[in-house]
Amino acid sequence: MLLNDTIPTSKSQHVAQPTEAVQAAPSAAQAETEEGAQENVTPSPVRQVTRPVKPRHPYEVLRSLPPDATPAQQDSAIQAVFQPEVIERSTRPDTLHMPGHEPGKSIEEVSLAKYYRESFFSKDSLFHPELNGGRYGVAGDPVPYTMRNDNVITSLLLGCLIVALLSFAHARGFLLRQAKSFFYVSKSGPKSVTETTGEIRLQFFLVALTCLLFSILCFFYVREYVSETLILSSQHQLIAIFFAAMVVYFLFKAALYWCVNWIFFDRKKNEQWMKSQLFVFAMEGLALFPMVLLQVYFNLSMQSAVIYALIVIILVKILSFYKCYLIFFKGIGVVLQIFLYFCALEIIPLLSLGGILALIGNYLKINY
């Protein structure tokens, strides 16, 4: 019983072993098959996708260079990266034209007549039409500045002349009465002429005309004897400066006379003196007007103009001295006081005005 029990067990064991071997064999064979399959299978090539190169900008090329790169190195780097492209134009005929019309010509096609393309010297080796030969003749001298060509001065003088003639035509009787009373002396002393508002305005206009004529005369003197080039941008500015100086001079004299005469003389004499001075200044402008016209439009020499102006000024001072004697010092019988009075209030302000005008001209000239 023991043997029988043992043998089946062994048989069962021996039978079981081949079964496990059979089960293990397929697994080994399967492993060998997989390994062979892996050895026999060739790897497929990887597909590479090519992308277009991103265009670079000049500043990126320059940034890749060292900071101390020279301009020549920068230019070489730019030329190495960027290559100029050749533009190929189409040579096909243009068929897009209106039916019934000939095709248009290209803008590059230029055809000139033979007499434009050839000349008598076209085959000469010394003929070079591409060279610029310059202009014919010589450059002319610029026209110098003259008062006669100045529209502002011409209009101003013409306007003053017209207004003066119209005023003189309306106030001719008043001016004659003023001249008669200026030289006529009665036993009771000089008398003052009654003036209307229009006549007073006429005299003030003539005084302003005197200032303008003196300023133009000073302008001519500065251009002749001081300098033709000034630091001012316009000739009218210099005339305006001289005109302002003359107006200040006459106002200063009037204020000075009024203060001095108000202290030493009565109101009636002071009024007579101021009216006589206003008349003298007005006549001074009328006397200077012909000289200025000759100076502007007929090229009167500066020396003759200065002599004429000095004669007018001297005559005016003589008349003022005569009127001063009749109004203030005739009944007193003193001589020294009238000379002191006249020199202090007439000669010294006149000399001061001349010095100020000379200083203005020297200050405004250009010193090289």
Side-chain angles (χ1 to χ4, degrees):
M1 289 298 296
L2 293 171
L3 183 60
N4 293 332
D5 293 334
T6 307
I7 293 173
T9 305
S10 63
K11 285 184 179 181
S12 62
Q13 290 179 354
H14 286 289
V15 173
Q17 288 178 358
T19 305
E20 293 176 0
V22 173
Q23 292 177 356
S27 62
Q30 185 178 0
E32 290 178 359
T33 305
E34 291 178 358
E35 290 178 359
Q38 291 178 0
E39 291 178 359
N40 294 331
V41 175
T42 58
S44 61
V46 180
R47 185 178 180 182
Q48 297 179 356
V49 180
T50 57
R51 297 180 180 179
V53 181
K54 184 179 180 181
R56 301 178 66 184
H57 295 278
Y59 78 93
E60 295 177 352
V61 178
L62 297 178
R63 286 178 58 184
S64 63
L65 298 177
D68 56 347
T70 61
Q73 295 175 350
Q74 296 176 357
D75 184 66
S76 300
I78 292 295
Q79 292 182 6
V81 175
F82 300 97
Q83 299 296 333
E85 298 181 359
V86 179
I87 300 176
E88 297 181 357
R89 301 184 182 276
S90 177
T91 58
R92 296 182 179 181
D94 184 14
T95 59
L96 299 177
H97 57 272
M98 297 294 294
H101 295 271
E102 297 181 357
K105 296 183 179 180
S106 175
I107 59 174
E108 298 178 354
E109 182 181 354
V110 178
S111 60
L112 297 176
K114 186 176 182 180
Y115 52 84
Y116 284 121
R117 289 183 282 105
E118 297 182 3
S119 65
F120 181 78
F121 302 99
S122 59
K123 298 182 180 180
D124 193 347
S125 60
L126 300 179
F127 180 65
H128 297 282
E130 70 277 2
L131 300 179
N132 185 13
R135 297 182 178 180
Y136 295 101
V138 296
D141 296 331
V143 179
Y145 174 81
T146 54
M147 295 287 284
R148 71 172 64 92
N149 296 329
D150 195 333
N151 296 329
V152 176
I153 300 299
T154 301
S155 303
L156 192 61
L157 292 177
L158 184 61
C160 291
L161 178 62
I162 293 175
V163 173
L165 292 177
L166 293 176
S167 302
F168 183 78
H170 288 84
R172 179 175 54 186
F174 164 73
L175 295 178
L176 293 177
R177 284 187 284 109
Q178 281 277 31
K180 183 178 179 181
S181 63
F182 188 88
F183 294 101
Y184 175 75
V185 181
S186 61
K187 296 181 180 179
S188 59
K191 297 181 180 179
S192 60
V193 181
T194 304
E195 302 171 347
T196 61
T197 305
E199 294 168 349
I200 295 176
R201 291 177 181 176
L202 171 63
Q203 294 185 76
F204 277 111
F205 169 76
L206 295 178
V207 171
L209 178 63
T210 304
C211 297
L212 176 63
L213 297 177
F214 269 117
S215 61
I216 295 176
L217 180 62
C218 293
F219 169 74
F220 278 117
Y221 183 86
V222 169
R223 285 179 55 87
E224 182 71 22
Y225 296 107
V226 179
S227 177
E228 293 185 358
T229 55
L230 303 173
I231 62 176
L232 300 176
S233 59
S234 175
Q235 309 291 344
H236 307 146
Q237 295 179 2
L238 182 60
I239 297 176
I241 292 173
F242 286 148
F243 179 78
M246 296 301 301
V247 171
V248 171
Y249 166 73
F250 282 113
L251 293 178
F252 174 76
K253 277 188 60 177
L256 188 63
Y257 271 121
W258 182 265
C259 294
V260 173
N261 294 338
W262 180 75
I263 295 173
F264 295 100
F265 305 103
D266 56 3
R267 180 180 178 181
K268 182 179 179 180
K269 292 183 178 180
N270 192 5
E271 183 179 354
Q272 291 176 359
W273 172 253
M274 296 302 293
K275 289 183 179 181
S276 63
Q277 284 294 297
L278 189 62
F279 176 75
V280 169
F281 291 154
M283 295 300 102
E284 187 177 8
L286 292 179
L288 289 174
F289 199 78
M291 182 270 298
V292 174
L293 292 180
L294 292 175
Q295 180 75 18
V296 173
Y297 298 105
F298 297 97
N299 293 329
L300 181 66
S301 63
M302 193 64 215
Q303 185 177 1
S304 301
V306 171
I307 294 174
Y308 182 92
L310 289 177
I311 292 174
V312 172
I313 292 174
I314 291 173
L315 289 177
V316 167
K317 297 306 175 185
I318 291 175
L319 293 176
S320 299
F321 183 83
Y322 169 74
K323 200 65 177 179
C324 178
Y325 171 75
L326 291 179
I327 295 175
F328 300 120
F329 299 97
K330 182 179 181 181
I332 301 177
V334 293
V335 180
L336 181 61
Q337 285 81 355
I338 186 173
F339 279 102
L340 293 175
Y341 175 85
F342 191 78
C343 290
L345 300 181
E346 282 288 339
I347 304 301
I348 293 179
L350 181 62
L351 297 178
S352 301
L353 175 65
I356 292 173
L357 295 178
L359 184 63
I360 292 174
N362 293 326
Y363 182 76
L364 295 178
K365 73 176 182 178
I366 299 177
N367 297 320
Y368 295 98

